Amino acid sequence: MEKKIVLLPGDGIGAEVINSSKEVLNAIANKFGHSFQFESHDIGGVAVDTHGTPLPDETVEACKGADAVLLGAVGGPKWDQLPSHLRPERGLLGIRKALDLFANLRPVKGFEKLLHASPLKETVINGSDLLIVRELTGGLYFGEPSERRDNGNAVVDTLSYTRKEIERIVDKGFQSAQLRKKKLTSVDKANVLESSKLWREIVEEKKADYPDVEVDHVLVDAAAMKLITNPDQFDVIVTENMFGDILSDEASVLTGSLGMLPSASLAENGVGLYEPAHGSAPDIAGKGIANPIAMILSAALMLRYSFGLDKEALQIEAAVEHVVNDGYYTADLQVENGTLLNTVEMTEQIAKYIDNGYFYGKD
């Protein structure tokens, strides 16, 4: 299989972890006889510095012409004082909109060796394995008008959704539930927001199309509490843009580190974008100590969702799990009697386990 992959390193540790995903994908290509062609473009703060915009047109065109996109991270204090249209985060929002990436899939799965790294009790998080399906292109982040008024003394943001936008993400939630434990939790604020009332109505309508899926509705404040106190009650959560943004970051504490969480952003028919859940971590950028696992697992999601290479994705995921279970860790984690590795060493260890190949499909 030949595929063109656009790399968007972005800012901070983005370039370091993107390079790790590239190395691991090369190991997969060598092992399974694929050919991955890589092409790098700017986004975020580095794009502002170089091109005067967080999302250059050439980056958008390259992404549209690719088979998939891997993105590192954007942002940093260097650009915090820029006007809103030049903030690095606008590049991220812009590429999601340009590619019509309406669905963000955030798997949250803990590793037994890392349970101690979570601030929660191990008895609470042991066995946690859930998927958050977040709408990406509507809601408060894109609604118009969004502006300051009355000489800056008043502001307005608009939470806007169409029926079609809600229907397609709800369908993705149901479809994801069918592939897992057939349990879907829809999160909204239907006791207050009109948008959530329509959301809940559509979920109820869609139930008839997925009779094998059990559905419940939870208000977002209750969901936030239950995610921390009893995460095992969730399997697939589907929710709107801002709620999903907040809940998915909250769920990161279940694994002990954002450095372990991948994500996939999918279009209905088009290019998918894959990125780690963590930020640009400018405080450790250039030190070679970043955890590359979230980016590497994001590459595994790319193989599965964009290329249909589930066996290859499982090989990466198995290699990561065995590396962690064998006691290897990066500076953001602490493993008792383990071996501390830097970014390059962790990448090499995972690639080595892929080369060995006995972790997936051993008879």
Side-chain angles (χ1 to χ4, degrees), residues 49-91:
D49 292 345
T50 306
H51 306 277
T53 173
L55 184 61
D57 291 341
E58 64 185 60
T59 296
V60 175
E61 292 308 309
C63 290
K64 288 182 176 180
D67 294 303
V69 179
L70 291 177
L71 186 147
V74 299
K78 177 181 178 182
W79 304 282
D80 282 350
Q81 304 307 314
L82 292 176
S84 60
H85 70 284
L86 290 178
R87 292 287 297 272
E89 294 78 11
R90 286 292 167 184

Side-chain angles (χ1 to χ4, degrees), residues 52-344:
T53 173
L55 184 61
D57 291 341
E58 64 185 60
T59 296
V60 175
E61 292 308 309
C63 290
K64 288 182 176 180
D67 294 303
V69 179
L70 291 177
L71 186 147
V74 299
K78 177 181 178 182
W79 304 282
D80 282 350
Q81 304 307 314
L82 292 176
S84 60
H85 70 284
L86 290 178
R87 292 287 297 272
E89 294 78 11
R90 286 292 167 184
L92 178 57
L93 295 176
I95 195 62
R96 288 172 178 170
K97 196 74 172 179
L99 299 179
D100 196 23
L101 303 173
F102 76 97
N104 179 246
L105 275 57
R106 180 80 66 87
V108 181
K109 181 178 181 180
F111 292 82
E112 185 177 352
K113 276 276 190 175
L114 302 179
L115 294 181
H116 67 279
S118 171
L120 302 179
K121 294 179 180 178
E122 292 187 25
T123 53
V124 172
I125 60 174
N126 191 21
S128 296
D129 183 0
L130 57 95
L131 175 68
I132 298 177
V133 180
R134 166 192 170 194
E135 202 285 325
L136 271 186
T137 58
L140 275 174
Y141 297 167
F142 294 100
E144 296 290 345
S146 177
E147 62 191 20
R148 292 196 175 197
R149 296 175 175 175
D150 190 20
N151 296 319
N153 294 314
V155 295
V156 59
D157 288 304
T158 303
L159 200 171
S160 175
Y161 272 111
T162 65
R163 170 173 282 273
K164 179 183 177 182
E165 287 175 325
I166 299 174
E167 285 180 340
R168 64 180 183 176
I169 192 65
V170 168
D171 276 326
K172 180 63 70 173
F174 273 107
Q175 293 160 7
S176 299
Q178 286 181 316
L179 297 175
R180 290 172 57 96
K181 298 178 181 178
K182 296 180 171 57
K183 179 181 179 181
L184 180 67
T185 300
S186 175
V187 173
D188 59 38
K189 193 63 176 172
N191 59 335
V192 176
L193 300 176
E194 287 300 319
S195 59
S196 284
K197 292 175 184 177
L198 177 59
W199 179 284
R200 186 171 292 203
E201 291 170 10
I202 290 173
V203 173
E204 284 297 299
E205 293 170 6
K206 288 288 184 180
K207 282 169 54 175
D209 297 332
Y210 305 92
D212 56 331
V213 177
E214 174 190 349
V215 183
D216 64 339
H217 300 275
V218 180
L219 296 176
V220 64
D221 43 353
M225 177 188 68
K226 293 176 181 179
L227 195 57
I228 295 300
T229 58
N230 186 20
D232 285 353
Q233 77 174 80
F234 298 112
D235 186 54
V236 177
I237 295 173
V238 64
T239 192
E240 63 92 54
N241 203 343
M242 186 176 72
F243 296 162
D245 190 1
I246 295 169
L247 291 178
S248 57
D249 277 359
E250 181 191 13
S252 69
V253 303
L254 301 177
T255 66
S257 173
L258 276 170
M260 304 297 295
L261 294 180
S263 76
S265 298
L266 307 178
E268 287 186 271
N269 295 292
V271 180
L273 182 146
Y274 303 85
E275 60 182 309
H278 60 69
S280 62
D283 56 320
I284 63 170
K287 297 181 179 180
I289 60 173
N291 185 347
I293 289 179
M295 187 76 250
I296 290 170
L297 290 175
S298 296
L301 294 181
M302 178 192 71
L303 295 178
R304 175 174 292 121
Y305 288 111
S306 283
F307 302 163
L309 299 177
D310 192 59
K311 181 171 65 174
E312 289 83 341
L314 286 169
Q315 181 73 83
I316 292 177
E317 292 162 351
V320 167
E321 184 168 358
H322 279 79
V323 165
V324 173
N325 288 341
D326 285 350
Y328 296 103
Y329 68 98
T330 47
D332 57 317
L333 307 168
Q334 292 295 326
V335 177
E336 187 175 353
N337 299 319
T339 303
L340 176 64
L341 302 181
N342 61 32
T343 307
V344 172

